[in-house]
Amino acid sequence: MKNIILIGMMGCGKTTCGRLLARRLGRELVDTDALIVEREGRSIPDIFAQSGEDYFRAREVEAARREGLIVACGGGLPLRPAAMDPLRETGTVIFLARDPGETYDAESMAGRPLAQDGRAAFLARFRQREPVYRAAAHHTVTNFSDPETTVQTILEVLDI
């Protein structure tokens, strides 16, 4: 059974939608950020501060290697082809293309090290990443009226 891999900017709904998808499909959710925090025994800001972004990104690559999962990827994981290539081979990648301004305004960015430079920097980071997300994805979802509707859209895209 192929994995369903959710990618997109931090705060776009990957974990929330992943949790709902996992419940609806009876699958396990692997949130790469949560798995890394659990394995490392320290927060993402601490990992970034103490070990750096490269160390964190290397941990992401190790996070989801089984089949039949719902995988909520960290926002930066798709920037590493060595990380995305195996995920694309074992699953279907869905880019959650939520408006970055809406995401920044609606979600707490307190525990997100790469969102600490303000709204303009967040929007610039999205513009930089968006082409990578689109290239990595098999499908793109833009319906974000609420998490249940987004999940229903994902299921329709996947024909499940």
Side-chain angles (χ1 to χ4, degrees):
M1 179 182 316
K2 287 185 120 183
N3 291 332
I4 299 171
I5 296 116
L6 305 177
I7 64 171
M9 279 297 280
M10 60 193 95
C12 74
K14 298 178 301 283
T15 300
T16 299
C17 291
R19 193 175 298 118
L20 292 169
L21 273 172
R23 192 174 311 133
R24 290 207 30 201
L25 298 175
R27 295 192 189 187
E28 179 184 351
L29 170 67
V30 172
D31 179 310
T32 60
D33 288 350
L35 186 62
I36 292 166
V37 167
E38 182 182 317
R39 287 180 178 171
E40 290 286 318
R42 52 190 175 146
S43 70
I44 292 173
D46 286 346
I47 295 168
F48 268 74
Q50 296 163 5
S51 303
E53 183 177 358
D54 286 341
Y55 177 86
F56 178 80
R57 299 295 175 209
R59 303 296 72 77
E60 283 183 316
V61 174
E62 302 165 357
R65 299 272 186 202
R66 298 187 327 262
E67 292 184 1
L69 302 171
I70 307 296
V71 182
C73 295
L77 190 140
L79 304 178
R80 297 182 177 266
M84 282 308 299
D85 290 345
L87 290 175
R88 283 181 54 82
E89 291 171 11
T90 63
T92 302
V93 179
I94 307 290
F95 169 33
L96 299 184
R98 184 178 180 192
D99 176 86
E102 176 186 305
T103 300
Y104 188 87
D105 295 342
E107 304 301 325
S108 170
M109 297 295 162
R112 301 173 190 271
L114 297 180
Q116 299 308 303
D117 294 330
R119 190 178 197 274
F122 185 87
L123 297 178
R125 185 177 304 275
F126 177 82
R127 284 190 302 276
Q128 175 191 29
R129 290 180 175 186
E130 183 180 22
V132 176
Y133 292 150
R134 288 193 184 280
H138 294 103
H139 304 283
T140 299
V141 170
T142 58
N143 186 345
F144 292 94
S145 56
D146 63 78
E148 287 288 349
T149 302
T150 303
V151 167
Q152 187 58 44
T153 301
I154 293 168
L155 293 171
E156 289 168 8
V157 162
L158 295 173
D159 198 25
I160 296 177

